[in-house]
């Protein structure tokens, strides 16, 4: 099996305590270690570039993985990506222009045993404050994912900071007219004005990535494998003034790789404001998908 996790650890668990990462950071990494990911997509690696990337290297030693930091961006809360070195070989790290509020960590790697098929991997954290910003960032994800038309594979994900298209979702869409939603700043961050003047949830990223032919393993697990809990919320459980629990953290992959998905689960994470997201792929199935020896999944139908 090949396990992929996305994990937003709120502000990297906090600053160091007595020269060492704080308890929240240590607890979170012990939890990650239990699930033994082969690919770890991290967000909010706030302190992991400091002191010569000391905290990044401590995570490498604890997890037995090779780690990469993304550029800090204007949010000063960079992304990161870790790979298990006996499962994947790394070919390059790709830098991104500063249009991103938080630049993604972007790696090109290959699965051991399939060295001739590069995999574009990205860990992202879309702009929390701007629907237009997230649209531009999503378009840049598509530019990287377009490499699948050249025979490469694609796997990426993270904190979307907006909502999935409501079709087929387990968590009901937000009713922004609800009097209990009192955080007006958050409403402006996460909605657009509809033609009739009401506020509607931002779903551009999900609609665009799925519309381009990428797939959400959680939807696949729920719809094809009967794993309804794959569509559980990952954040917002205690933020009723913002609309409550939401499926904010998502992973996307190309239409061949999604066929190799065998399990998707949401991991309760008491040391962060986001839960972890875990996708398990069959390693043999992943190898077949990389060689495109299986049919691609059709574009996801977003009809209500």
């Amino acid at each position: 099996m090949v396990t992929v996790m996305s994990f937003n650890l709120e502000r990297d668990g906090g600053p160091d305590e007595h020269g060492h990462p704080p308890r929240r950071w240590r607890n979170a990494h012990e939890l990650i270690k239990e699930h033994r990911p082969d690919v770890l997509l991290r967000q909010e690696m706030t302190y992991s570039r400091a002191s010569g990337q000391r905290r990044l290297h401590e995570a490498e030693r604890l997890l037995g993985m090779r780690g990469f930091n993304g550029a800090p961006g204007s949010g000063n809360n960079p992304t990161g990506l870790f790979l298990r070195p006996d499962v994947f070989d790394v070919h390059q790290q790709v830098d991104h222009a500063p249009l991103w509020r938080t630049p993604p960590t972007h790696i090109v790697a290959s699965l051991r045993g399939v060295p001739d098929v590069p995999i574009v991997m990205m860990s992202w954290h879309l702009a929390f404050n701007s629907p237009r910003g997230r649209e531009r960032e999503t378009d840049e994800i598509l530019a990287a994912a377009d490499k699948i038309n050249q025979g490469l594979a694609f796997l990426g994900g993270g904190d979307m900071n907006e909502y999935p298209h409501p079709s087929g979702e387990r968590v009901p869409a937000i009713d922004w007219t609800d009097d209990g939603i009192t955080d007006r700043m958050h409403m402006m961050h996460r909605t657009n004005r509809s033609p009739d003047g009401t506020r509607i949830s931002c779903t551009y990223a999900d609609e665009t990535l799925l519309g381009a032919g990428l797939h959400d393993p959680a939807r696949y697990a729920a719809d094809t494998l009967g794993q309804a809990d794959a569509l559980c919320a990952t954040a917002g459980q205690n933020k009723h003034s913002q609309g409550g629990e939401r499926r904010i953290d998502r992973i996307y992959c190309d239409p061949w790789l999604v066929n190799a998905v065998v399990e998707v689960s949401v991991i309760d994470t008491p040391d962060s404001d986001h839960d972890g997201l875990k996708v398990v792929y069959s390693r043999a199935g992943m190898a077949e998908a990389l060689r495109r020896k299986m049919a691609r999944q059709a574009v996801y139908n977003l009809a209500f």
Side-chain angles (χ1 to χ4, degrees):
M1 298 297 177
V2 175
T3 298
V4 179
M5 288 186 69
S6 181
F7 198 101
N8 182 340
L9 175 57
E10 185 179 15
R11 294 196 62 78
D12 216 5
D16 282 358
E17 297 173 351
H18 310 295
H20 298 283
R23 181 175 298 278
R24 287 177 60 218
W25 187 94
R26 297 196 303 272
N27 290 346
H29 282 77
E30 288 295 339
L31 177 63
I32 294 169
K33 186 177 180 179
E34 288 177 19
H35 291 276
R36 203 179 186 278
D38 301 296
V39 180
L40 174 62
L41 312 174
R42 271 289 317 277
Q43 297 84 47
E44 301 203 18
M45 293 185 64
T46 316
Y47 301 98
S48 292
R49 296 178 65 87
S51 303
Q53 304 189 89
R54 182 177 53 78
R55 194 178 289 194
L56 173 81
H57 297 314
E58 187 157 348
E60 288 180 316
R61 290 191 296 274
L62 179 62
L63 300 174
M65 304 178 78
R66 181 179 177 187
F68 302 85
N69 269 323
S74 61
N76 275 328
N77 222 3
T79 59
L81 194 155
F82 293 78
L83 294 174
R84 195 162 299 282
D86 59 347
V87 178
F88 291 97
D89 291 313
V90 178
H91 301 292
Q92 65 180 126
Q93 181 171 5
V94 180
D95 295 326
H96 280 261
L99 72 81
W100 293 75
R101 178 175 176 83
T102 302
T105 307
H106 180 170
I107 300 298
V108 180
S110 60
L111 180 70
R112 289 283 178 93
V114 194
D116 54 330
V117 183
I119 308 169
V120 175
M121 297 184 179
M122 297 180 76
S123 171
W124 59 70
H125 193 167
L126 301 190
F128 83 95
N129 63 320
S130 171
R132 269 64 57 192
R134 290 192 297 274
E135 290 175 8
R136 292 191 299 271
E137 292 171 350
T138 300
D139 293 345
E140 291 302 305
I141 294 171
L142 275 191
D146 189 63
K147 295 293 192 296
I148 67 174
N149 290 322
Q150 301 172 24
L152 282 70
F154 180 83
L155 175 63
D159 184 343
M160 308 300 291
N161 267 326
E162 66 174 48
Y163 313 103
H165 187 282
S167 177
E169 286 294 311
R170 175 172 177 171
V171 180
I174 297 174
D175 176 6
W176 293 100
T177 66
D178 186 333
D179 291 340
I181 301 177
T182 57
D183 189 335
R184 303 294 297 185
M185 188 74 72
H186 183 80
M187 183 184 294
M188 293 301 104
H189 292 333
R190 300 296 175 87
T191 66
N192 285 308
R193 186 180 294 277
S194 69
D196 66 4
T198 58
R199 305 303 302 187
I200 56 174
S201 294
C202 294
T203 58
Y204 179 86
D206 192 47
E207 292 176 17
T208 299
L209 297 179
L210 295 180
L214 298 180
H215 279 263
D216 173 356
R219 287 184 183 267
Y220 177 84
D223 297 344
T224 304
L225 305 179
Q227 299 174 14
D229 286 351
L231 296 176
C232 284
T234 64
Q237 286 87 344
N238 299 312
K239 296 182 178 179
H240 305 295
S241 66
Q242 298 180 353
E245 61 179 21
R246 301 288 116 198
R247 195 168 74 90
I248 294 294
D249 305 85
R250 301 190 294 277
I251 289 172
Y252 296 84
C253 62
D254 67 62
W256 292 274
L257 276 179
V258 72
N259 291 297
V261 172
V262 296
E263 182 182 358
V264 177
S265 53
V266 175
I267 309 300
D268 181 54
T269 309
D271 291 289
S272 184
D273 58 346
H274 286 249
D275 288 332
L277 176 63
K278 177 179 174 181
V279 179
V280 180
Y281 292 83
S282 158
R283 183 161 179 169
M286 179 176 276
E288 285 193 22
L290 292 172
R291 297 187 182 104
R292 299 192 177 177
K293 292 188 175 181
M294 56 177 64
R296 64 188 296 167
Q297 282 286 327
V299 176
Y300 194 87
N301 181 8
L302 290 174
F304 286 95

